[in-house]
Structure formats: C-alpha cells, structure tokens
Amino acid sequence: MEEKTKIGFNEDQYKTAKKHEDTLKVSFDEMLQKANAALGGDFVDDYQKLAENPNEYVVQKFWELYGQNEPPHIDREAFMLSKIKFDKTVFNDCSRTVRECKGLLRELAPTINKKSIKYNVSEEPFNFYLNPEKKDEYEAVVAFLEAGRVLKDKYQSKYCSDTCLVKFHPWIHKPIGGYFPAPKAYEFAK
C-alpha cells in the first residue's frame, strides 16, 4: 500500500466542525441534566431515545418510575405536569440544536447509542493528501517556490516578488496572513 503524503490541513473547516460538535455537546449535556432533574435522579438510560424525542422520552420514563399505581387511561404528560414543574421549551431548544448540529456535521456527527455518545470530529478528515498523479507537478511547484524564496531572501531579488510567484502557476497562492506564497494543497490532493 502506498504511503500517503500530507500536504495541507483545512483549519477553517476543522474549527467550524469542532464548534458545531462543542455546541452539540453542551446542548445534549443540558438536555440530559434537565431530564435527570425532572426524573428525580440519574434515570436516563437511553441516550438515543432522549436525543430523538426528549419530551416524549421524559414523559414515558416519568410514567414508568412514578405512574405504575395510576389508571392507564390517564394522560401521561398531564400526570407528570401535575407532579413536577417541567419546561418543554428547554428540551425543544436543546433537541433542535442537537439535530441542527448533527445535520451540519453530516458523516462526522456523533454516534449516539443507548448508553454512550462517541464524538467523531478529528483532524484526519480535514487533512489534504498528495494525489500520486500530481506528485511531480507538486514537487516542481515546491522547488520553484523554494528557489524564489532563496532568491528573495538571500539575494534580495526584486524580480521574485510574491505577486510574480503567484502569477507563475495557477495552483500557487499567498495564504491570508502567510509569509510567502505556497501551493494550493487542495489542488494537489486526492
């Protein structure tokens, strides 16, 4: 198997995904805390059902815990609301935020099981790896930029300005806040 050569990292997209994951964590933790408070202890035993429909899950769990001696025809939500103060809007807000963040994260969305949540955002999917078919061109661009850097720094060449180097090849750019032009990693990636 051919070894992959990392040539770049999409930091902006990684930070955005991490922000969505952190928002999801906070919202889910708040939802879990509110659910356990409503149930009177650490009774949430299915994270997946809580994430899918938190209001229904809390009402059903409350009924299981405290409604076993009540007539079965009683409205379960009304029963719960007669016993505790419960604000559904908190769950709706948290649930909406969790759904939105999962949608934004797509394949990097956390895996929510009955007893656990596995968060999936890592740096790996945001790395750029060199396409072997473009290896020679990439190496030529890197060598060209290195020669331009030497001419500019060591010999103070005024013909090796950043503008001239960037215009030389369509896959060279000056990164925002960058010191010197660089190859566009995504153009050389698989």
Side-chain angles (χ1 to χ4, degrees), residues 144-145 158-169 172 181:
F144 169 75
L145 289 173
K158 52 186 156 193
Y159 301 107
C160 285
S161 71
D162 294 350
T163 306
C164 291
L165 294 174
V166 168
K167 288 181 178 179
F168 189 79
H169 194 280
I172 297 174

Side-chain angles (χ1 to χ4, degrees), residues 122-138:
S122 67
E123 291 186 3
E124 180 59 30
F126 300 96
N127 289 333
F128 292 115
Y129 293 99
L130 181 61
N131 181 341
E133 295 172 6
K134 297 178 181 178
K135 182 179 180 185
D136 291 340
E137 185 177 12
Y138 177 78

Side-chain angles (χ1 to χ4, degrees), residues 22-36:
D22 292 344
T23 301
L24 189 146
K25 277 181 190 179
V26 168
S27 292
F28 188 84
D29 289 346
E30 182 180 356
M31 194 166 49
L32 181 62
Q33 177 190 6
K34 299 283 185 188
N36 281 324

Side-chain angles (χ1 to χ4, degrees), residues 105-121:
L105 290 169
R106 295 182 218 134
E107 66 274 355
L108 296 176
T111 307
I112 302 176
N113 297 318
K114 185 173 182 170
K115 290 285 188 188
S116 67
I117 299 179
K118 180 182 178 268
Y119 294 99
N120 298 319
V121 173

Side-chain angles (χ1 to χ4, degrees), residues 51-98:
E52 289 170 2
N53 193 339
N55 289 322
E56 184 179 313
Y57 176 79
V58 170
V59 168
Q60 292 304 324
K61 194 68 179 170
F62 192 87
W63 181 260
E64 287 174 23
L65 292 168
Y66 307 110
Q68 60 270 32
N69 295 329
E70 300 296 323
H73 67 277
I74 289 180
D75 181 306
R76 294 174 181 199
E77 186 173 347
F79 168 73
M80 184 181 82
L81 293 174
S82 73
K83 303 292 183 191
I84 63 168
K85 184 177 179 184
F86 181 72
D87 185 8
K88 291 187 344 181
T89 58
V90 171
F91 283 113
N92 290 336
D93 292 345
C94 290
S95 178
R96 182 176 43 256
T97 301
V98 167

Side-chain angles (χ1 to χ4, degrees), residues 7-25:
I7 58 172
F9 176 68
N10 193 332
E11 187 173 358
D12 292 338
Q13 285 188 356
Y14 171 73
K15 285 179 178 179
T16 300
K18 199 67 176 153
K19 184 179 87 172
H20 292 316
E21 184 179 73
D22 292 344
T23 301
L24 189 146
K25 277 181 190 179

